[in-house]
Every structure is written in structure tokens, then in C-alpha cells.
Amino acid sequence: MDRLIDEKPANLVIVDNFFLGKQRNLQHAKDNFPIKVYNQDASDYDAMKEIIENESIDVVFNLAVIPLLSSHVNPVNDWNVNVNIVLVLCELIRKNKFSTLIHFSSSEAYGSAKKIVMDEYHPLHPTTPYAASKAAADLLVLSYCETFGIDASIMRPFNNYGPRQNEGSYAGVIPITIKRIMGGMPPIIYGDGEQTRDYIYVTDTADAAIDVFNNKNTRSKIINIATGQEITIKKIITTIAEIMEFDEHIIYEDTRLADVRRHRGDISLAEKLIGFKTKVSFEDGIQQTIEWYKENIIIQT
Ligand SMILES: NC(=O)c1ccc[n+]([C@@H]2O[C@H](COP(=O)([O-])OP(=O)(O)OC[C@H]3O[C@@H](n4cnc5c(N)ncnc54)[C@H](O)[C@@H]3O)[C@@H](O)[C@H]2O)c1
């Protein structure tokens, strides 16, 4: 949102039913721009049609999602919501209610790496219902591009991290680890910790989203957004522990259900199409992230 405000749009509208989203995360944007927030389920066609028409929306960035860990307990909801939001948006753009769709996919659509590095032609082998919903939604967007000529691009980010990331239910490893250490509890590694991810700082992804929108040559394509580097979960957790001066033991628990083993994105297409280059190193990004949680999150002990 902050990055969109930099672009000085004529109008900026957020649709979020606050399934996991938090109003407090919008405060900075609200202080800088007269954004309008609709507390609305984006998979409701009629409601979305009304908002898009009333607000004269031209471009939709679709980030709304039910996250991966939720699909372990309620797979039906992940599937229905993640696919239906995209179906609604595809239908509305097909009917010329808005002009351009920038859809956020996920590297989870690939499943575990069958080859390193993973380019956009890597087979789709989703390991969780969440990942399946992300893969299906992408195919839906591509099918609307092909059949109806909609103006849409698909960014496929690998793992993201940074300030304001959800640290509550279904939170990812970085916010959880920071929060546990802040509360005086040892971090947890699920499995052996040797599983890898390609972690990109949130502002690099936000910059890429603007560049994808601004470059017409990204249309009808899926584009990886990543650093091109992989890092083990163990390294992430030990780095956070080191920075936070936590020198007690780390707990090991069973491998997470259907956990991806290895991820490392090939970013050649993004480099070619949008001149993509990350600006924030993991060392700087993790430092800034920890600082943010320390300043903004109160731990109840
Ligand atoms: N975070 C990552 O590591 C990561 C990695 C790859 C791809 N992505 C993708 O990037 C996008 C954003 O991810 P994120 O991590 O910021 O997610 P997030 O969970 O922080 O944000 C998603 C938002 O969608 C909202 N939402 C859920 N259901 C909704 C509904 N029916 N209607 C309206 N809003 C709804 C939630 O309340 C939340 O604010 C998603 O498409 C995700 O798949 C994220």
C-alpha cells in the first residue's frame, strides 16, 4: 500500500475482510493518503462489482488470500476463497469493469524443487491445498488472457518477509521466531531445518509489483519474484536468535505437513522484462524486521 501511494494514484481502495489482515497495518498508509477501506469478502461478485463501479477502479492488485497453514485445517475454505476471488476478478475484467489485473501467485505452486534453479517452466506440483488453490488461480487467469484477451500479469513471489507480517494465527517462521524470542521462549524448527526457501524482503516485492504493472510486456505471463538465493530454515532461525542475543537451545519438532523441501527461484525473466534487481540483503532485511516487531508488538507474558 505504501508503495502504491508513492505512485500518487487518483484513488486508492482496499478490499479486505480482515480474515487475518489488521487495521493497524493500514495506519501508515491512511496517514499519507485518503484511502478508502471496504471490509468485504472479495469472493462476492456483486459486492466487488459495486465497489469497482462506484470507485471507478482501473487496476486491481490481487493479494487477498487464505494462507498455507490454514489449508491444513480447513482446506475447503482455502480452495474456495483463493480460487473464487480470482474467478470474480476475471469475470469483472472480462466484462470491462476494470482494465488491468496484477495477480499474486506463489512459489508454493511449484512444490519442492525438481531442479535448481526453478524457472517459470518448472512443473507445478502443489503439495498443499493452499498451493493447489494458488496454481489453479494462476491457470484461471492465464485462461482468461488466452480466451478473452484480458490485460493481466501474474507475479509469482517466493517467500516474503518484513515488517507488519502476520505474527498471529497461521504465521510464518520469521514472525513466529521473533515473537517467541521476545516472549522468552525458544524458537522451534520443524523437521531437520535443512529445508530451504528463497526469502525476499517485502519492499523488493512491492517495487516489482509496480514495475510489473508499468511494463506491458509482462501481460499474460507468470513472472518469478525472488532473490535467486536459498537459505535454510535453520540458518534463518539461528540468525534471528543471534541478532536477538538468544543463546539458549532451539526446539526440534516433527516436519510440517507436506512441507516443501527446497526452493530457489530463477529470476532471469523478471530481470529481462522489468529490469528486476533486489535492493535489500537478507542481513539488512532481517535486522529491520526484528526492529519493527520489537517496536510494534506487545508480548503478553
Ligand atoms: N507471504 C509470503 O511469503 C508469500 C509468498 C508468495 C506469495 N505470496 C502471495 O502474496 C499475496 C499476499 O500474501 P501475504 O503474505 O501478504 O498474505 P496476508 O495473509 O498477509 O494478506 C492476505 C490478506 O487477504 C485478506 N483476505 C483473506 N480472505 C479474504 C477475502 N475473502 N476477501 C478479502 N480479503 C481477504 C486477509 O485478511 C489478509 O489481509 C498472496 O496472494 C500470497 O499467496 C505470499
Side-chain angles (χ1 to χ4, degrees), residues 15-22 40-43 62-67 81 85 104-107 130 134 157-160 165-166:
V15 176
D16 197 311
N17 65 354
F18 297 96
F19 172 77
L20 278 186
K22 296 186 182 73
Q40 174 61 51
D41 180 349
S43 66
N62 176 34
L63 289 90
V65 83
I66 304 289
V81 175
I85 289 174
F104 277 59
S105 171
S106 166
S107 56
Y130 164 82
K134 296 301 295 183
F158 282 58
N159 282 70
N160 271 247
Q165 188 168 22
N166 167 41

Side-chain angles (χ1 to χ4, degrees), residues 54-300:
N54 290 348
E55 297 288 348
S56 306
I57 297 299
D58 195 27
V59 187
V60 174
F61 290 83
N62 176 34
L63 289 90
V65 83
I66 304 289
L68 189 155
L69 292 178
S70 166
S71 81
H72 289 164
V73 288
N74 192 346
V76 175
N77 192 45
D78 255 71
W79 175 268
N80 284 342
V81 175
N82 295 346
V83 174
N84 279 328
I85 289 174
V86 177
L87 184 59
V88 162
L89 292 173
C90 282
E91 274 296 279
L92 288 169
I93 194 171
R94 177 173 82 86
K95 292 175 183 170
N96 298 317
K97 301 296 174 193
F98 65 99
S99 308
T100 306
L101 171 64
I102 307 299
H103 170 66
F104 277 59
S105 171
S106 166
S107 56
E108 288 289 326
Y110 296 127
S112 285
K114 300 208 180 321
K115 65 179 181 91
I116 290 289
V117 286
M118 305 163 82
D119 66 15
E120 291 80 358
Y121 292 102
H122 186 285
L124 296 181
H125 189 95
T127 58
T128 57
Y130 164 82
S133 76
K134 296 301 295 183
D138 298 348
L139 297 179
L140 193 56
V141 175
L142 287 182
S143 77
Y144 269 66
C145 289
E146 191 82 21
T147 312
F148 305 111
I150 66 167
D151 192 59
S153 304
I154 302 172
M155 321 188 10
R156 186 169 277 162
F158 282 58
N159 282 70
N160 271 247
Y161 72 104
R164 301 189 199 141
Q165 188 168 22
N166 167 41
E167 85 294 351
S169 312
Y170 310 125
V173 61
I174 292 179
I176 284 184
T177 302
I178 298 172
K179 198 174 152 187
R180 284 184 67 88
I181 295 177
M182 281 170 67
M185 289 181 291
I188 302 175
I189 291 180
Y190 293 97
D192 61 7
E194 295 302 325
Q195 60 273 44
T196 68
R197 296 292 185 272
D198 184 333
Y199 262 95
I200 179 167
Y201 194 65
V202 62
T203 52
D204 282 329
T205 302
D207 285 345
I210 303 295
D211 292 340
V212 164
F213 166 66
N214 282 328
N215 281 283
K216 280 273 185 190
N217 57 5
T218 63
R219 299 300 184 260
S220 306
K221 290 187 176 68
I222 293 176
I223 305 141
N224 282 346
I225 302 296
T227 64
Q229 304 299 321
E230 62 189 326
I231 181 165
T232 65
I233 295 295
K234 191 192 277 175
K235 173 75 181 159
I236 291 171
I237 291 179
T238 51
T239 303
I240 295 172
E242 222 173 276
I243 295 172
M244 296 182 77
E245 296 176 354
F246 181 89
D247 51 16
E248 290 168 43
H249 67 290
I250 291 172
I251 299 174
Y252 281 81
E253 290 193 0
D254 289 346
T255 306
R256 205 177 73 187
L257 215 56
D259 200 22
V260 161
R261 187 67 188 163
R262 213 174 156 197
H263 261 179
R264 182 177 164 198
D266 181 332
I267 50 174
S268 335
L269 185 62
E271 287 168 345
K272 184 172 145 211
L273 295 181
I274 61 170
F276 178 69
K277 208 170 172 356
T278 55
K279 298 188 192 84
V280 183
S281 67
F282 183 74
E283 291 68 28
D284 289 348
I286 201 69
Q287 193 85 44
Q288 288 171 38
T289 305
I290 292 168
E291 285 312 312
W292 186 87
Y293 283 96
K294 280 195 194 158
E295 280 166 24
N296 292 280
I297 303 295
I298 297 160
I299 304 289
Q300 322 277 1

Side-chain angles (χ1 to χ4, degrees), residues 1 4 8-14 33-36 38 51-59:
M1 195 48 56
L4 281 175
K8 302 188 175 42
N11 188 15
L12 198 46
V13 167
I14 294 173
F33 198 87
I35 54 172
K36 207 182 249 181
Y38 286 87
I51 292 170
I52 285 170
E53 282 178 347
N54 290 348
E55 297 288 348
S56 306
I57 297 299
D58 195 27
V59 187

Side-chain angles (χ1 to χ4, degrees), residues 26-45:
L26 298 175
Q27 198 50 53
H28 186 259
K30 281 180 176 168
D31 292 344
N32 290 292
F33 198 87
I35 54 172
K36 207 182 249 181
V37 181
Y38 286 87
N39 187 337
Q40 174 61 51
D41 180 349
S43 66
D44 180 330
Y45 178 88

